[in-house]
Amino acid sequence: MEALTEQLQGALNSRIIIEQAKGALAYLYNVSVDEAFILLRTYVRDHNVRLIETARSIATDPANAPDLIGAQRKYRPGPK
């Protein structure tokens, strides 16, 4: 039971960090939070990095946000 509680708490903490990062990206890129998550997900897949680590970096200091413009163009192509 204690292990399950720890797992659930870890999942909740990760979710909070990811939500904070989505909010920061939505603000920085002027997109919806759903689009921000797509940008984040595309970036981590393309760069083979962990979602939670990237989200934590963004949530801690949005200036650390990786350049997601390439991911944004891949998701929503437009003028370069």
Side-chain angles (χ1 to χ4, degrees):
M1 186 61 124
E2 187 175 320
L4 178 60
T5 302
E6 288 177 18
Q7 287 178 338
L8 290 173
Q9 187 61 49
L12 178 61
N13 291 342
S14 294
R15 171 99 183 187
I16 291 168
I17 292 167
I18 292 168
E19 292 298 323
Q20 290 173 341
K22 284 168 45 178
L25 292 173
Y27 177 77
L28 288 171
Y29 292 102
N30 194 30
V31 296
S32 72
V33 290
D34 290 337
E35 290 173 313
F37 182 67
I38 292 169
L39 295 175
L40 180 59
R41 186 181 64 203
T42 301
Y43 178 86
V44 299
R45 285 182 180 171
D46 288 352
H47 293 85
N48 198 31
V49 293
R50 292 179 45 102
L51 176 65
I52 188 61
E53 292 169 4
T54 304
R56 184 176 287 115
S57 176
I58 294 167
T60 302
D61 184 1
N64 289 333
D67 180 11
L68 297 176
I69 297 300
Q72 185 175 17
R73 287 194 180 127
K74 183 176 182 179
Y75 166 65
R76 186 174 47 197
K80 294 184 179 188

